[in-house]
Amino acid sequence: METPGTAQVVPPEAEQPSRFFFAVLSGVLFFAAYAPVTIGNKMIDALIYLVTYNGSYLAVEEIITIIVISIPPVKKALDYVKQMANSR
């Protein structure tokens, strides 16, 4: 249980599955009509397109994020912020 006045730090990779799910869900609900349709069922084609599109840009974003947070000055700054957050 979280004590009052403390913040729980959630790593970015923990948010990715829900972000991916809701990006695909909103695409199916709101943007499926604009997805390119080639063969077969329009909803299945839209779902495949949306999973591929959202998965590709989220994977690239995750790789870039991992590279950036691995840079020593950035890592040191993040450790300092975590230390400050935990000391309060």
Side-chain angles (χ1 to χ4, degrees), residues 30-53:
F30 301 109
F31 303 110
Y34 302 108
V37 178
T38 54
I39 303 171
N41 185 346
K42 186 174 184 177
M43 186 58 72
I44 298 300
D45 286 345
L47 183 62
I48 291 170
Y49 171 77
L50 291 164
V51 167
T52 304
Y53 174 79

Side-chain angles (χ1 to χ4, degrees), residues 20 49-63:
F20 174 74
Y49 171 77
L50 291 164
V51 167
T52 304
Y53 174 79
N54 288 306
S56 65
Y57 88 81
L58 286 173
V60 170
E61 181 182 337
E62 186 172 354
I63 290 168

Side-chain angles (χ1 to χ4, degrees), residues 1-79:
M1 183 171 205
E2 199 173 306
T3 58
T6 61
Q8 182 179 1
V9 178
V10 179
E13 59 273 4
E15 296 177 7
Q16 293 300 324
S18 61
R19 183 174 174 195
F20 174 74
F21 172 76
F22 285 109
V24 172
L25 180 64
S26 68
V28 169
L29 294 177
F30 301 109
F31 303 110
Y34 302 108
V37 178
T38 54
I39 303 171
N41 185 346
K42 186 174 184 177
M43 186 58 72
I44 298 300
D45 286 345
L47 183 62
I48 291 170
Y49 171 77
L50 291 164
V51 167
T52 304
Y53 174 79
N54 288 306
S56 65
Y57 88 81
L58 286 173
V60 170
E61 181 182 337
E62 186 172 354
I63 290 168
I64 292 170
T65 302
I66 290 170
I67 291 170
V68 169
I69 65 174
S70 297
I71 298 172
V74 175
K75 191 170 188 170
K76 184 177 178 182
L78 288 173
D79 290 338

